[in-house]
Amino acid sequence: MERKLLCIARKKRYVPSTISIIACFTRFLHLVTNVYAFAPCQLVTIHHFQPSTITTRLYEQRFNVKELLGPVSPSTMQSYNLPPSVLSSGWSAQIVTRTAKSLEETTDIQLIPKNEKDHFVDTVTVEIPLYSSADGHDRQTGLGIELLEIEGGREDGLGIVIVKGLVPGGNADKACSDANTQGLSERIMYGDSIVTADLILRRRSSGTNEEQTDVKSIQTECLGYDSMVNQLVGLLEPLKDPVAIKSGAVILTLKRLRRRPKINVQLYYPPSQNLPPTTITLQPGDNLRMAMLQRGIKLNDPLAQRYDGKPTGSGNCGSGGLCRTCAVSVLRGGELLSPQKLNEKKMLEDTPRWRLACKSWVGYGMKEGDVVIQVNPRQW
């Protein structure tokens, strides 16, 4: 094994404690069989249906949360980075069973935060050029990434490995420095965990001027130190014969722990209700109406005019955006709510400060801050 391809720092392995069996005879891709719980981490089994959609935690309906939150700037995401002391102990793992429409179940293992209340997992992609015949000099063929095992010592090769650092002057360090110089998004950071790696090779076809592109991919999520090293070394094996290679690069997908943004929503009630102001704390992707109703806030206004032609006071439409009983007046922080769509704009064109709570999701752009609203604005 040519470990010179990777510069690796190693931490003393944990001795596994008593293992609680969570799932038997499951498969982790094509690498692992007979998956049990991590030690000392705990694994829980969760079931997902139609994994192409995202289910937010406050309601049962499925929405594309990324679409609702809109574009997110790299500088905003970097403001949620965590200190190294948290990153070194903040990872855990879970077995995830997905059921497709065909009712076939697939099982794999995913990295999750130990503290899911305050932290979330983000995904970062970094391209590392390794070889180019056009740059006029030879490149190193290694990644130049130092790895640190924080959970492992298991016979099945599972574990948790994070990035400890980058070798000064190595390919990863150069790639991240170039990205910063060019104002690009992210660089590899301490605490990141490599989950996939793709080797992209552009070759010259013998006897012609045509090029062909070869792609080789590996999965490394929740692998222990030795297993991850073996996978990465094997990925770079084609670079040992660079004769026909014009250029090559590795695209790493890494998972990163970040702090959850918080949106403080301050609620004011009509004077007739004689209720003190209330502040609720939400997270990006939370629906304003459901968040308020689940906290016992009196939201539905019997005086609200309906958009669907039904009599005033005939109840609410169940978040269909037709009855206006959940309308609120946004005094401050409207930029933190998802933008209005055409129907809502038409319904509320005479009251520009108003929003339908059922059609408002907080944390637009993954930003945090304060929102101030009046409940039951027709009663003021």
Coordinates of all heavy atoms in Angstrom, one line a residue, residues 41-75:
C41 N -20.6 5.6 19.6 CA -21.8 6.3 19.1 C -23.0 5.4 19.1 O -22.9 4.2 19.1 CB -21.5 6.7 17.6 SG -20.2 8.0 17.5
Q42 N -24.1 6.0 19.0 CA -25.4 5.2 18.9 C -26.0 5.4 17.6 O -26.0 6.5 17.1 CB -26.3 5.6 20.1 CG -25.9 5.1 21.4 CD -27.0 5.1 22.4 OE1 -28.1 5.4 22.1 NE2 -26.8 4.6 23.6
L43 N -26.5 4.3 17.0 CA -27.2 4.4 15.8 C -28.7 4.2 16.0 O -29.1 3.4 16.8 CB -26.7 3.3 14.8 CG -25.3 3.5 14.2 CD1 -24.9 2.3 13.5 CD2 -25.3 4.7 13.3
V44 N -29.5 5.0 15.2 CA -30.9 4.8 15.3 C -31.4 4.5 13.8 O -30.8 5.0 12.9 CB -31.6 6.0 15.8 CG1 -31.3 6.2 17.3 CG2 -31.3 7.3 15.1
T45 N -32.4 3.7 13.7 CA -32.9 3.4 12.4 C -34.1 4.4 12.1 O -35.0 4.5 12.9 CB -33.4 2.0 12.3 OG1 -32.3 1.1 12.6 CG2 -33.9 1.6 10.9
I46 N -34.0 5.0 10.9 CA -35.1 5.9 10.5 C -35.6 5.5 9.1 O -34.8 4.9 8.4 CB -34.7 7.4 10.6 CG1 -33.6 7.7 9.6 CG2 -34.3 7.8 11.9 CD1 -33.3 9.1 9.4
H47 N -36.8 5.8 8.8 CA -37.4 5.4 7.5 C -37.7 6.6 6.7 O -38.4 7.5 7.2 CB -38.6 4.5 7.7 CG -38.3 3.2 8.4 ND1 -37.9 2.1 7.7 CD2 -38.2 2.9 9.7 CE1 -37.7 1.1 8.6 NE2 -37.9 1.6 9.8
H48 N -37.3 6.6 5.5 CA -37.6 7.7 4.6 C -38.4 7.2 3.4 O -38.1 6.2 2.9 CB -36.4 8.4 4.1 CG -35.6 9.1 5.1 ND1 -36.0 10.4 5.6 CD2 -34.5 8.8 5.8 CE1 -35.1 10.8 6.5 NE2 -34.2 9.9 6.6
F49 N -39.4 7.9 3.0 CA -40.2 7.6 1.8 C -40.0 8.7 0.8 O -40.0 9.9 1.1 CB -41.7 7.5 2.1 CG -42.0 6.3 3.1 CD1 -41.9 6.5 4.4 CD2 -42.3 5.1 2.6 CE1 -42.2 5.4 5.3 CE2 -42.5 4.0 3.4 CZ -42.5 4.2 4.8
Q50 N -39.7 8.3 -0.5 CA -39.5 9.2 -1.6 C -38.3 10.1 -1.2 O -38.5 11.3 -0.9 CB -40.7 10.0 -2.0 CG -41.9 9.1 -2.4 CD -43.1 9.9 -2.8 OE1 -43.1 11.1 -2.8 NE2 -44.1 9.2 -3.3
P51 N -37.1 9.6 -1.2 CA -36.0 10.4 -0.7 C -35.7 11.6 -1.5 O -34.9 12.5 -1.1 CB -34.8 9.4 -0.7 CG -35.2 8.4 -1.7 CD -36.7 8.3 -1.6
S52 N -36.3 11.8 -2.7 CA -36.0 13.0 -3.5 C -36.7 14.2 -2.9 O -36.4 15.3 -3.3 CB -36.5 12.8 -4.9 OG -37.9 12.5 -5.0
T53 N -37.6 14.0 -2.0 CA -38.3 15.2 -1.3 C -37.8 15.3 0.1 O -37.3 14.4 0.7 CB -39.8 15.0 -1.3 OG1 -40.1 13.8 -0.6 CG2 -40.3 15.0 -2.7
I54 N -37.9 16.5 0.6 CA -37.4 16.8 2.0 C -38.7 17.0 2.9 O -39.5 17.8 2.5 CB -36.5 18.0 2.0 CG1 -35.3 17.7 1.1 CG2 -36.0 18.3 3.4 CD1 -34.4 18.9 1.0
T55 N -38.7 16.4 4.0 CA -39.8 16.6 4.9 C -39.3 17.5 6.1 O -38.4 17.2 6.8 CB -40.3 15.3 5.5 OG1 -40.6 14.4 4.5 CG2 -41.5 15.5 6.4
T56 N -39.9 18.7 6.2 CA -39.6 19.6 7.3 C -40.2 19.1 8.6 O -41.1 18.3 8.6 CB -40.0 21.0 7.0 OG1 -41.4 21.0 6.9 CG2 -39.4 21.6 5.8
R57 N -39.6 19.5 9.7 CA -39.9 18.8 11.0 C -41.2 19.3 11.6 O -41.7 18.7 12.6 CB -38.8 19.0 11.9 CG -38.5 20.4 12.3 CD -37.2 20.6 13.1 NE -36.9 22.0 13.4 CZ -37.5 22.6 14.4 NH1 -38.3 22.0 15.2 NH2 -37.2 23.9 14.6
L58 N -41.8 20.4 11.1 CA -43.0 20.9 11.8 C -44.3 20.5 11.2 O -45.4 20.8 11.7 CB -42.9 22.4 11.9 CG -41.9 23.0 12.9 CD1 -41.9 24.5 12.9 CD2 -42.1 22.5 14.3
Y59 N -44.3 19.9 10.0 CA -45.5 19.5 9.4 C -45.3 18.3 8.5 O -44.2 17.9 8.2 CB -46.1 20.7 8.6 CG -45.1 21.4 7.7 CD1 -44.8 20.9 6.5 CD2 -44.5 22.5 8.2 CE1 -43.9 21.6 5.7 CE2 -43.5 23.1 7.4 CZ -43.2 22.7 6.2 OH -42.3 23.3 5.4
E60 N -46.4 17.6 8.2 CA -46.3 16.4 7.4 C -46.2 16.5 5.9 O -45.7 15.6 5.3 CB -47.5 15.5 7.8 CG -47.6 15.1 9.2 CD -48.8 14.3 9.5 OE1 -49.7 14.1 8.6 OE2 -49.0 13.8 10.7
Q61 N -46.6 17.7 5.4 CA -46.6 17.9 4.0 C -45.1 17.9 3.5 O -44.3 18.5 4.2 CB -47.3 19.1 3.6 CG -48.8 19.0 3.8 CD -49.5 20.4 3.6 OE1 -49.3 21.3 4.4 NE2 -50.2 20.5 2.5
R62 N -44.9 17.4 2.3 CA -43.5 17.4 1.8 C -43.3 18.7 0.9 O -44.1 18.9 0.0 CB -43.2 16.2 1.0 CG -43.1 14.9 1.9 CD -42.7 13.7 1.1 NE -42.5 12.6 1.9 CZ -43.5 11.8 2.3 NH1 -44.7 12.0 2.0 NH2 -43.2 10.7 3.1
F63 N -42.2 19.4 1.1 CA -41.9 20.5 0.3 C -40.4 20.5 0.0 O -39.6 19.9 0.7 CB -42.1 21.9 1.1 CG -43.6 22.1 1.4 CD1 -44.1 21.7 2.6 CD2 -44.4 22.7 0.5 CE1 -45.4 21.9 2.9 CE2 -45.7 22.9 0.8 CZ -46.2 22.5 2.0
N64 N -40.0 21.1 -1.1 CA -38.6 21.2 -1.4 C -38.0 22.4 -0.6 O -38.2 23.5 -1.0 CB -38.4 21.4 -2.9 CG -36.9 21.3 -3.3 OD1 -36.1 21.8 -2.6 ND2 -36.7 20.8 -4.5
V65 N -37.4 22.1 0.5 CA -36.9 23.1 1.4 C -35.8 24.0 0.7 O -35.8 25.2 0.9 CB -36.3 22.5 2.7 CG1 -35.8 23.5 3.6 CG2 -37.5 21.7 3.4
K66 N -35.0 23.4 -0.1 CA -33.9 24.2 -0.7 C -34.6 25.3 -1.6 O -34.1 26.4 -1.7 CB -33.0 23.3 -1.5 CG -32.1 22.5 -0.7 CD -31.1 21.7 -1.5 CE -30.1 20.9 -0.6 NZ -29.1 20.2 -1.5
E67 N -35.6 24.9 -2.3 CA -36.3 25.9 -3.2 C -37.0 27.0 -2.4 O -36.9 28.1 -2.7 CB -37.4 25.2 -4.0 CG -38.1 26.1 -5.0 CD -39.2 25.3 -5.8 OE1 -39.0 24.1 -5.9 OE2 -40.1 26.0 -6.3
L68 N -37.6 26.6 -1.2 CA -38.2 27.6 -0.4 C -37.2 28.6 0.2 O -37.5 29.8 0.4 CB -39.0 26.9 0.7 CG -40.2 26.0 0.3 CD1 -40.7 25.3 1.5 CD2 -41.3 26.9 -0.2
L69 N -36.0 28.1 0.5 CA -35.0 29.0 1.2 C -34.3 29.8 0.2 O -33.6 30.7 0.6 CB -34.1 28.1 2.0 CG -34.7 27.4 3.2 CD1 -33.6 26.6 4.0 CD2 -35.3 28.4 4.1
G70 N -34.4 29.5 -1.1 CA -33.7 30.3 -2.1 C -32.2 30.2 -2.2 O -31.6 29.3 -1.5
P71 N -31.5 31.1 -2.9 CA -30.1 31.0 -3.0 C -29.4 31.4 -1.7 O -29.9 32.2 -0.9 CB -29.8 32.1 -4.1 CG -30.9 33.0 -4.1 CD -32.1 32.2 -3.7
V72 N -28.3 30.7 -1.5 CA -27.6 30.9 -0.2 C -26.1 31.3 -0.5 O -25.5 30.6 -1.3 CB -27.6 29.6 0.7 CG1 -26.8 29.8 2.0 CG2 -29.0 29.1 0.9
S73 N -25.6 32.4 0.0 CA -24.3 32.8 -0.2 C -23.3 32.0 0.6 O -23.6 31.7 1.7 CB -24.2 34.3 0.0 OG -24.2 34.6 1.4
P74 N -22.1 31.8 0.1 CA -21.1 31.1 0.9 C -20.7 31.8 2.1 O -20.4 31.2 3.2 CB -19.9 31.0 -0.1 CG -20.5 31.1 -1.5 CD -21.7 32.0 -1.3
S75 N -20.7 33.2 2.1 CA -20.3 33.9 3.3 C -21.3 33.7 4.4 O -21.0 33.7 5.6 CB -20.2 35.4 3.0 OG -21.4 35.9 2.5

